[in-house]
Amino acid sequence: MTRITGETRSARPWIGGLAALGLALCAQVGTVGTATTASAATAPVCGPSGGAADFNKDFYTDLAIGARGDDGGKGAVTIMAGQGGGLSASNPDNQRWTLDTAGVAGKGQAGAGFGWTVATGDFNGDGYDDVAAGAPLMDIGTAKDAGQVLQLLGSKTGLTATGSKVFDQDTIPVLDTAETGDLFGHALAAGDFNGDLLGWSLAAGNFNGDAYCDIAAGLPGESVPTSGGTVLAAGAVDVLYSGPNGPATTNPPAKAQIWYRGANGVLDVPRSGAQFGMSLAADDLNHDGYADLAIGAPMDDTTHGRTRAGA
């Protein structure tokens, strides 16, 4: 990096990287639109919160700018870090990234066009927005202009080379194969394509009284089953229990669980758009040595007939 101025489940998949939020990796032509956010009851959340990126989670919006023609067409991505006075070329937290930046996965290539397109979102669910940048004219083996996409993860210091990955059509689990002229990465769009908002909120606590800290993750956009049919965006919470190697879906003594209203003894019934799991807090509320979980449903309709009063 160069700083510049100027219900019980035995195996719910927890997938890191781009798959956590979801990234459409498009070959050939396409366009990138502005991400927008709306209530999960009416529309999916697309892109990062509020349609703007915050790579270091300082609550100032940051800006990612692609420069596909930079350095002989190798390309670059510049990050303008937000601050109290707005964007500034002299902000020391600004960054410049290329495929030749130390520690970054991949390797630069003249004419690859890195930064042709840029998409942002929290791809690994850690609360920091990340960036994906396309290099659609990258050669993959003998396939000329097959295309490639780089992922950079956010952190408390901004984007970092640690954990960076490159994807092309020869990369598992990307479908198809890299072929001449594919232009993979020519267009990018980030969004919650499976509607779970997985990891929207997180809480840690020792829920089962062993020697390990467990984790709860809110899924406020989750649709849940009922005897009368599926209730859209009712919301749910996943709990992963930890062991010596951290959280997992099958750690004893309990497997991963999913909680939502009307199931496993949880009170009330799921209601469309309630967004159960939007906020979480863990603490030992009754002083019995076990962490308990408080779950917010900010868009819930109450039993008294009040619309979107919350619970």
Side-chain angles (χ1 to χ4, degrees), residues 240-268:
L240 283 172
Y241 292 92
S242 295
N245 297 315
T249 58
T250 56
N251 273 329
K255 296 180 180 179
Q257 299 173 313
I258 185 167
W259 298 94
Y260 53 89
R261 284 170 159 172
N264 300 326
V266 179
L267 299 178
D268 212 342

PDB file of all heavy atoms in Angstrom, residues 240-268:
ATOM      1  N   LEU A 240     -23.516 -19.390  16.772  1.00  0.00           N
ATOM      2  CA  LEU A 240     -22.424 -20.343  16.588  1.00  0.00           C
ATOM      3  C   LEU A 240     -21.700 -20.517  17.910  1.00  0.00           C
ATOM      4  O   LEU A 240     -21.282 -19.543  18.527  1.00  0.00           O
ATOM      5  CB  LEU A 240     -21.437 -19.829  15.534  1.00  0.00           C
ATOM      6  CG  LEU A 240     -21.861 -19.955  14.076  1.00  0.00           C
ATOM      7  CD1 LEU A 240     -20.876 -19.232  13.191  1.00  0.00           C
ATOM      8  CD2 LEU A 240     -21.947 -21.412  13.667  1.00  0.00           C
ATOM      9  N   TYR A 241     -21.549 -21.764  18.339  1.00  0.00           N
ATOM     10  CA  TYR A 241     -20.824 -22.056  19.574  1.00  0.00           C
ATOM     11  C   TYR A 241     -19.353 -22.315  19.266  1.00  0.00           C
ATOM     12  O   TYR A 241     -19.007 -22.901  18.243  1.00  0.00           O
ATOM     13  CB  TYR A 241     -21.466 -23.255  20.271  1.00  0.00           C
ATOM     14  CG  TYR A 241     -22.846 -22.930  20.785  1.00  0.00           C
ATOM     15  CD1 TYR A 241     -23.975 -23.158  20.000  1.00  0.00           C
ATOM     16  CD2 TYR A 241     -23.016 -22.337  22.026  1.00  0.00           C
ATOM     17  CE1 TYR A 241     -25.241 -22.825  20.453  1.00  0.00           C
ATOM     18  CE2 TYR A 241     -24.286 -22.000  22.494  1.00  0.00           C
ATOM     19  CZ  TYR A 241     -25.392 -22.249  21.704  1.00  0.00           C
ATOM     20  OH  TYR A 241     -26.648 -21.901  22.149  1.00  0.00           O
ATOM     21  N   SER A 242     -18.505 -21.864  20.167  1.00  0.00           N
ATOM     22  CA  SER A 242     -17.066 -21.933  19.938  1.00  0.00           C
ATOM     23  C   SER A 242     -16.433 -23.127  20.637  1.00  0.00           C
ATOM     24  O   SER A 242     -16.958 -23.657  21.619  1.00  0.00           O
ATOM     25  CB  SER A 242     -16.384 -20.652  20.425  1.00  0.00           C
ATOM     26  OG  SER A 242     -16.796 -19.539  19.666  1.00  0.00           O
ATOM     27  N   GLY A 243     -15.282 -23.508  20.102  1.00  0.00           N
ATOM     28  CA  GLY A 243     -14.442 -24.531  20.682  1.00  0.00           C
ATOM     29  C   GLY A 243     -13.006 -24.085  20.632  1.00  0.00           C
ATOM     30  O   GLY A 243     -12.718 -22.894  20.439  1.00  0.00           O
ATOM     31  N   PRO A 244     -12.064 -25.003  20.751  1.00  0.00           N
ATOM     32  CA  PRO A 244     -10.643 -24.631  20.742  1.00  0.00           C
ATOM     33  C   PRO A 244     -10.202 -23.905  19.483  1.00  0.00           C
ATOM     34  O   PRO A 244      -9.245 -23.122  19.519  1.00  0.00           O
ATOM     35  CB  PRO A 244      -9.928 -25.979  20.883  1.00  0.00           C
ATOM     36  CG  PRO A 244     -10.938 -26.874  21.516  1.00  0.00           C
ATOM     37  CD  PRO A 244     -12.259 -26.435  21.001  1.00  0.00           C
ATOM     38  N   ASN A 245     -10.891 -24.153  18.376  1.00  0.00           N
ATOM     39  CA  ASN A 245     -10.518 -23.528  17.112  1.00  0.00           C
ATOM     40  C   ASN A 245     -11.459 -22.404  16.701  1.00  0.00           C
ATOM     41  O   ASN A 245     -11.489 -22.008  15.536  1.00  0.00           O
ATOM     42  CB  ASN A 245     -10.459 -24.588  16.005  1.00  0.00           C
ATOM     43  CG  ASN A 245      -9.403 -25.636  16.270  1.00  0.00           C
ATOM     44  OD1 ASN A 245      -8.282 -25.308  16.655  1.00  0.00           O
ATOM     45  ND2 ASN A 245      -9.752 -26.902  16.083  1.00  0.00           N
ATOM     46  N   GLY A 246     -12.235 -21.895  17.661  1.00  0.00           N
ATOM     47  CA  GLY A 246     -13.123 -20.788  17.357  1.00  0.00           C
ATOM     48  C   GLY A 246     -14.532 -21.246  17.028  1.00  0.00           C
ATOM     49  O   GLY A 246     -14.877 -22.427  17.175  1.00  0.00           O
ATOM     50  N   PRO A 247     -15.398 -20.316  16.553  1.00  0.00           N
ATOM     51  CA  PRO A 247     -16.786 -20.659  16.247  1.00  0.00           C
ATOM     52  C   PRO A 247     -16.871 -21.650  15.091  1.00  0.00           C
ATOM     53  O   PRO A 247     -16.094 -21.591  14.140  1.00  0.00           O
ATOM     54  CB  PRO A 247     -17.412 -19.319  15.851  1.00  0.00           C
ATOM     55  CG  PRO A 247     -16.490 -18.285  16.396  1.00  0.00           C
ATOM     56  CD  PRO A 247     -15.126 -18.886  16.344  1.00  0.00           C
ATOM     57  N   ALA A 248     -17.822 -22.575  15.192  1.00  0.00           N
ATOM     58  CA  ALA A 248     -18.061 -23.542  14.124  1.00  0.00           C
ATOM     59  C   ALA A 248     -19.493 -24.016  14.220  1.00  0.00           C
ATOM     60  O   ALA A 248     -20.166 -23.831  15.232  1.00  0.00           O
ATOM     61  CB  ALA A 248     -17.088 -24.718  14.212  1.00  0.00           C
ATOM     62  N   THR A 249     -19.977 -24.654  13.165  1.00  0.00           N
ATOM     63  CA  THR A 249     -21.370 -25.088  13.127  1.00  0.00           C
ATOM     64  C   THR A 249     -21.610 -26.367  13.918  1.00  0.00           C
ATOM     65  O   THR A 249     -22.743 -26.692  14.237  1.00  0.00           O
ATOM     66  CB  THR A 249     -21.817 -25.321  11.679  1.00  0.00           C
ATOM     67  OG1 THR A 249     -20.958 -26.309  11.074  1.00  0.00           O
ATOM     68  CG2 THR A 249     -21.763 -24.039  10.881  1.00  0.00           C
ATOM     69  N   THR A 250     -20.557 -27.107  14.268  1.00  0.00           N
ATOM     70  CA  THR A 250     -20.751 -28.410  14.907  1.00  0.00           C
ATOM     71  C   THR A 250     -19.983 -28.564  16.212  1.00  0.00           C
ATOM     72  O   THR A 250     -19.756 -29.682  16.674  1.00  0.00           O
ATOM     73  CB  THR A 250     -20.314 -29.533  13.944  1.00  0.00           C
ATOM     74  OG1 THR A 250     -18.954 -29.316  13.544  1.00  0.00           O
ATOM     75  CG2 THR A 250     -21.199 -29.568  12.717  1.00  0.00           C
ATOM     76  N   ASN A 251     -19.567 -27.469  16.843  1.00  0.00           N
ATOM     77  CA  ASN A 251     -18.837 -27.582  18.110  1.00  0.00           C
ATOM     78  C   ASN A 251     -19.729 -28.150  19.205  1.00  0.00           C
ATOM     79  O   ASN A 251     -20.866 -27.702  19.380  1.00  0.00           O
ATOM     80  CB  ASN A 251     -18.309 -26.211  18.551  1.00  0.00           C
ATOM     81  CG  ASN A 251     -16.959 -25.900  17.958  1.00  0.00           C
ATOM     82  OD1 ASN A 251     -16.156 -26.784  17.710  1.00  0.00           O
ATOM     83  ND2 ASN A 251     -16.704 -24.622  17.716  1.00  0.00           N
ATOM     84  N   PRO A 252     -19.241 -29.136  19.990  1.00  0.00           N
ATOM     85  CA  PRO A 252     -20.029 -29.602  21.128  1.00  0.00           C
ATOM     86  C   PRO A 252     -20.006 -28.555  22.231  1.00  0.00           C
ATOM     87  O   PRO A 252     -19.084 -27.738  22.268  1.00  0.00           O
ATOM     88  CB  PRO A 252     -19.276 -30.884  21.559  1.00  0.00           C
ATOM     89  CG  PRO A 252     -17.863 -30.666  21.096  1.00  0.00           C
ATOM     90  CD  PRO A 252     -17.974 -29.836  19.842  1.00  0.00           C
ATOM     91  N   PRO A 253     -20.978 -28.536  23.164  1.00  0.00           N
ATOM     92  CA  PRO A 253     -22.055 -29.515  23.260  1.00  0.00           C
ATOM     93  C   PRO A 253     -23.269 -29.178  22.404  1.00  0.00           C
ATOM     94  O   PRO A 253     -24.261 -29.883  22.457  1.00  0.00           O
ATOM     95  CB  PRO A 253     -22.421 -29.437  24.748  1.00  0.00           C
ATOM     96  CG  PRO A 253     -22.196 -27.984  25.080  1.00  0.00           C
ATOM     97  CD  PRO A 253     -20.990 -27.575  24.282  1.00  0.00           C
ATOM     98  N   ALA A 254     -23.236 -28.095  21.677  1.00  0.00           N
ATOM     99  CA  ALA A 254     -24.413 -27.691  20.903  1.00  0.00           C
ATOM    100  C   ALA A 254     -24.026 -27.377  19.469  1.00  0.00           C
ATOM    101  O   ALA A 254     -22.947 -26.839  19.208  1.00  0.00           O
ATOM    102  CB  ALA A 254     -25.074 -26.471  21.541  1.00  0.00           C
ATOM    103  N   LYS A 255     -24.897 -27.722  18.548  1.00  0.00           N
ATOM    104  CA  LYS A 255     -24.690 -27.340  17.165  1.00  0.00           C
ATOM    105  C   LYS A 255     -25.173 -25.906  16.950  1.00  0.00           C
ATOM    106  O   LYS A 255     -25.830 -25.318  17.804  1.00  0.00           O
ATOM    107  CB  LYS A 255     -25.453 -28.298  16.246  1.00  0.00           C
ATOM    108  CG  LYS A 255     -24.951 -29.739  16.309  1.00  0.00           C
ATOM    109  CD  LYS A 255     -25.751 -30.638  15.382  1.00  0.00           C
ATOM    110  CE  LYS A 255     -25.249 -32.069  15.433  1.00  0.00           C
ATOM    111  NZ  LYS A 255     -26.021 -32.967  14.559  1.00  0.00           N
ATOM    112  N   ALA A 256     -24.827 -25.366  15.807  1.00  0.00           N
ATOM    113  CA  ALA A 256     -25.301 -24.021  15.489  1.00  0.00           C
ATOM    114  C   ALA A 256     -26.823 -23.986  15.517  1.00  0.00           C
ATOM    115  O   ALA A 256     -27.488 -24.959  15.167  1.00  0.00           O
ATOM    116  CB  ALA A 256     -24.778 -23.596  14.118  1.00  0.00           C
ATOM    117  N   GLN A 257     -27.345 -22.866  15.963  1.00  0.00           N
ATOM    118  CA  GLN A 257     -28.792 -22.723  16.097  1.00  0.00           C
ATOM    119  C   GLN A 257     -29.277 -21.521  15.299  1.00  0.00           C
ATOM    120  O   GLN A 257     -28.533 -20.568  15.079  1.00  0.00           O
ATOM    121  CB  GLN A 257     -29.169 -22.514  17.566  1.00  0.00           C
ATOM    122  CG  GLN A 257     -28.789 -23.658  18.492  1.00  0.00           C
ATOM    123  CD  GLN A 257     -29.036 -23.294  19.937  1.00  0.00           C
ATOM    124  OE1 GLN A 257     -28.662 -22.215  20.394  1.00  0.00           O
ATOM    125  NE2 GLN A 257     -29.666 -24.187  20.685  1.00  0.00           N
ATOM    126  N   ILE A 258     -30.529 -21.584  14.903  1.00  0.00           N
ATOM    127  CA  ILE A 258     -31.193 -20.412  14.341  1.00  0.00           C
ATOM    128  C   ILE A 258     -32.460 -20.160  15.143  1.00  0.00           C
ATOM    129  O   ILE A 258     -33.205 -21.082  15.470  1.00  0.00           O
ATOM    130  CB  ILE A 258     -31.501 -20.583  12.839  1.00  0.00           C
ATOM    131  CG1 ILE A 258     -32.092 -19.286  12.280  1.00  0.00           C
ATOM    132  CG2 ILE A 258     -32.409 -21.770  12.561  1.00  0.00           C
ATOM    133  CD1 ILE A 258     -32.161 -19.220  10.773  1.00  0.00           C
ATOM    134  N   TRP A 259     -32.653 -18.887  15.518  1.00  0.00           N
ATOM    135  CA  TRP A 259     -33.776 -18.501  16.359  1.00  0.00           C
ATOM    136  C   TRP A 259     -34.646 -17.496  15.621  1.00  0.00           C
ATOM    137  O   TRP A 259     -34.151 -16.562  15.013  1.00  0.00           O
ATOM    138  CB  TRP A 259     -33.274 -17.861  17.657  1.00  0.00           C
ATOM    139  CG  TRP A 259     -32.455 -18.782  18.500  1.00  0.00           C
ATOM    140  CD1 TRP A 259     -31.104 -18.914  18.504  1.00  0.00           C
ATOM    141  CD2 TRP A 259     -32.945 -19.701  19.478  1.00  0.00           C
ATOM    142  NE1 TRP A 259     -30.710 -19.860  19.411  1.00  0.00           N
ATOM    143  CE2 TRP A 259     -31.819 -20.360  20.034  1.00  0.00           C
ATOM    144  CE3 TRP A 259     -34.227 -20.032  19.948  1.00  0.00           C
ATOM    145  CZ2 TRP A 259     -31.942 -21.337  21.023  1.00  0.00           C
ATOM    146  CZ3 TRP A 259     -34.339 -20.997  20.943  1.00  0.00           C
ATOM    147  CH2 TRP A 259     -33.215 -21.639  21.472  1.00  0.00           C
ATOM    148  N   TYR A 260     -35.939 -17.733  15.676  1.00  0.00           N
ATOM    149  CA  TYR A 260     -36.886 -16.747  15.170  1.00  0.00           C
ATOM    150  C   TYR A 260     -38.207 -16.932  15.909  1.00  0.00           C
ATOM    151  O   TYR A 260     -38.439 -17.944  16.583  1.00  0.00           O
ATOM    152  CB  TYR A 260     -37.077 -16.843  13.660  1.00  0.00           C
ATOM    153  CG  TYR A 260     -37.439 -18.215  13.128  1.00  0.00           C
ATOM    154  CD1 TYR A 260     -38.762 -18.623  13.034  1.00  0.00           C
ATOM    155  CD2 TYR A 260     -36.451 -19.091  12.692  1.00  0.00           C
ATOM    156  CE1 TYR A 260     -39.107 -19.865  12.530  1.00  0.00           C
ATOM    157  CE2 TYR A 260     -36.771 -20.338  12.184  1.00  0.00           C
ATOM    158  CZ  TYR A 260     -38.102 -20.723  12.111  1.00  0.00           C
ATOM    159  OH  TYR A 260     -38.428 -21.974  11.616  1.00  0.00           O
ATOM    160  N   ARG A 261     -39.038 -15.955  15.821  1.00  0.00           N
ATOM    161  CA  ARG A 261     -40.293 -15.972  16.565  1.00  0.00           C
ATOM    162  C   ARG A 261     -41.166 -17.157  16.154  1.00  0.00           C
ATOM    163  O   ARG A 261     -41.283 -17.483  14.985  1.00  0.00           O
ATOM    164  CB  ARG A 261     -41.052 -14.675  16.336  1.00  0.00           C
ATOM    165  CG  ARG A 261     -40.458 -13.517  17.109  1.00  0.00           C
ATOM    166  CD  ARG A 261     -41.070 -12.241  16.672  1.00  0.00           C
ATOM    167  NE  ARG A 261     -40.924 -11.195  17.670  1.00  0.00           N
ATOM    168  CZ  ARG A 261     -41.248  -9.943  17.438  1.00  0.00           C
ATOM    169  NH1 ARG A 261     -41.755  -9.587  16.285  1.00  0.00           N
ATOM    170  NH2 ARG A 261     -41.082  -9.042  18.379  1.00  0.00           N
ATOM    171  N   GLY A 262     -41.768 -17.771  17.182  1.00  0.00           N
ATOM    172  CA  GLY A 262     -42.660 -18.885  16.924  1.00  0.00           C
ATOM    173  C   GLY A 262     -41.961 -20.224  16.812  1.00  0.00           C
ATOM    174  O   GLY A 262     -42.617 -21.241  16.595  1.00  0.00           O
ATOM    175  N   ALA A 263     -40.625 -20.268  16.958  1.00  0.00           N
ATOM    176  CA  ALA A 263     -39.880 -21.519  16.844  1.00  0.00           C
ATOM    177  C   ALA A 263     -39.031 -21.732  18.081  1.00  0.00           C
ATOM    178  O   ALA A 263     -38.485 -20.777  18.643  1.00  0.00           O
ATOM    179  CB  ALA A 263     -39.001 -21.506  15.602  1.00  0.00           C
ATOM    180  N   ASN A 264     -38.924 -22.965  18.514  1.00  0.00           N
ATOM    181  CA  ASN A 264     -38.070 -23.335  19.646  1.00  0.00           C
ATOM    182  C   ASN A 264     -38.390 -22.558  20.914  1.00  0.00           C
ATOM    183  O   ASN A 264     -37.514 -22.240  21.702  1.00  0.00           O
ATOM    184  CB  ASN A 264     -36.590 -23.138  19.288  1.00  0.00           C
ATOM    185  CG  ASN A 264     -36.167 -23.990  18.113  1.00  0.00           C
ATOM    186  OD1 ASN A 264     -36.651 -25.102  17.944  1.00  0.00           O
ATOM    187  ND2 ASN A 264     -35.272 -23.468  17.302  1.00  0.00           N
ATOM    188  N   GLY A 265     -39.663 -22.240  21.105  1.00  0.00           N
ATOM    189  CA  GLY A 265     -40.078 -21.578  22.333  1.00  0.00           C
ATOM    190  C   GLY A 265     -39.980 -20.074  22.335  1.00  0.00           C
ATOM    191  O   GLY A 265     -40.320 -19.435  23.336  1.00  0.00           O
ATOM    192  N   VAL A 266     -39.514 -19.473  21.241  1.00  0.00           N
ATOM    193  CA  VAL A 266     -39.457 -18.010  21.168  1.00  0.00           C
ATOM    194  C   VAL A 266     -40.876 -17.459  21.100  1.00  0.00           C
ATOM    195  O   VAL A 266     -41.711 -17.927  20.315  1.00  0.00           O
ATOM    196  CB  VAL A 266     -38.648 -17.542  19.943  1.00  0.00           C
ATOM    197  CG1 VAL A 266     -38.614 -16.026  19.862  1.00  0.00           C
ATOM    198  CG2 VAL A 266     -37.232 -18.100  20.007  1.00  0.00           C
ATOM    199  N   LEU A 267     -41.152 -16.466  21.916  1.00  0.00           N
ATOM    200  CA  LEU A 267     -42.500 -15.918  22.013  1.00  0.00           C
ATOM    201  C   LEU A 267     -42.900 -15.142  20.764  1.00  0.00           C
ATOM    202  O   LEU A 267     -42.064 -14.693  19.996  1.00  0.00           O
ATOM    203  CB  LEU A 267     -42.601 -15.007  23.245  1.00  0.00           C
ATOM    204  CG  LEU A 267     -42.335 -15.675  24.597  1.00  0.00           C
ATOM    205  CD1 LEU A 267     -42.431 -14.637  25.711  1.00  0.00           C
ATOM    206  CD2 LEU A 267     -43.306 -16.818  24.840  1.00  0.00           C
ATOM    207  N   ASP A 268     -44.217 -14.967  20.624  1.00  0.00           N
ATOM    208  CA  ASP A 268     -44.812 -14.182  19.548  1.00  0.00           C
ATOM    209  C   ASP A 268     -44.736 -14.938  18.223  1.00  0.00           C
ATOM    210  O   ASP A 268     -44.306 -16.094  18.164  1.00  0.00           O
ATOM    211  CB  ASP A 268     -44.156 -12.806  19.436  1.00  0.00           C
ATOM    212  CG  ASP A 268     -45.121 -11.726  18.953  1.00  0.00           C
ATOM    213  OD1 ASP A 268     -46.174 -12.076  18.390  1.00  0.00           O
ATOM    214  OD2 ASP A 268     -44.825 -10.546  19.133  1.00  0.00           O
TER     215      ASP A 268
END
